[in-house]
Amino acid sequence: MAPKKAEQQVAESSSKDARTARRERRNDPETKVAPVLAKEPSKKKLKTEQVKPAPSKEAEEVKPAPAAKAEEDPEDQNKGSTVVIEHCKQCNRFKVRAHQVKAGLEDGVPGINVVINPEKPRRGCFEIRKEGGETFISLLDLKRPFKLMTDLVMEDVIADIVGKIKSAPVA
């Protein structure tokens, strides 16, 4: 509900036109409102920002100290390995398969880096390769309905790539 006008303001407004009366009220120091300097963060930003609690002393004590290893861990062998998945952005089928392969490789080979489309992808392309080396799958210039790609059984493809990566000698 709008605030009621004071009797004084009503008397002034009747003698002057409305525009002049508003201007005077705006410039009047008694009715002036302080400008807002900073906006409060929106609720959306508050929901997305999550504060992680500080680690407790008990959690630090539970961690075992790393021991000297005589043999190299298979995770260390693949530590610097990077697999590049290049997929066309023409159709969602490429994207689904690329993310399927990424999840499978990260689960199958610990410590591996999987990068999807580091550069602008080629049209009709679905390619999985080791960075700077071996190409696992290369399907180029695919036309709709992408028969070659849809015929692939992705679980078998992932298993083959994991096997090749694990059996490959470390450079």
Side-chain angles (χ1 to χ4, degrees), residues 10-163:
V10 173
E12 287 179 26
S13 63
S14 61
S15 63
K16 302 175 186 177
D17 67 336
R19 188 180 304 170
T20 311
R22 271 184 276 156
R23 189 178 316 123
E24 287 177 356
R25 274 183 290 191
R26 186 178 41 196
N27 294 333
D28 187 19
E30 293 176 6
T31 59
K32 217 174 205 179
V33 179
V36 178
L37 298 176
K39 292 184 178 180
E40 294 181 24
S42 66
K43 291 182 181 180
K44 285 186 179 180
K45 288 184 183 177
L46 292 176
K47 288 181 182 178
T48 57
E49 295 175 4
Q50 295 179 357
V51 178
K52 293 183 180 179
S56 63
K57 292 181 182 178
E58 295 173 4
E60 291 176 8
E61 293 174 6
V62 175
K63 294 179 182 177
K69 298 180 183 178
E71 298 177 15
E72 288 188 14
D73 191 20
E75 184 176 323
D76 291 339
Q77 291 177 352
N78 298 316
K79 195 74 170 177
S81 299
T82 301
V83 174
V84 176
I85 302 173
E86 182 179 352
H87 71 87
C88 177
K89 294 185 175 184
Q90 180 181 1
C91 182
N92 201 32
R93 295 183 208 173
F94 292 98
K95 180 181 172 184
V96 168
R97 283 171 177 71
H99 285 284
Q100 232 178 353
V101 171
K102 180 179 180 178
L105 289 177
E106 288 174 344
D107 291 342
V109 184
I112 194 169
N113 298 326
V114 182
V115 180
I116 296 179
N117 284 345
E119 299 171 0
K120 184 177 177 185
R122 295 170 278 184
R123 183 182 171 104
C125 172
F126 186 76
E127 189 171 72
I128 304 168
R129 64 182 182 273
K130 203 167 196 176
E131 190 172 60
E134 182 182 3
T135 301
F136 301 114
I137 290 181
S138 182
L139 302 174
L140 303 174
D141 297 325
L142 293 175
K143 306 284 185 219
R144 285 186 186 269
F146 314 118
K147 183 88 171 117
L148 290 173
M149 187 180 62
T150 53
D151 289 345
L152 290 175
V153 178
M154 295 314 291
E155 289 80 22
D156 295 341
V157 170
I158 294 167
D160 290 342
I161 294 171
V162 168

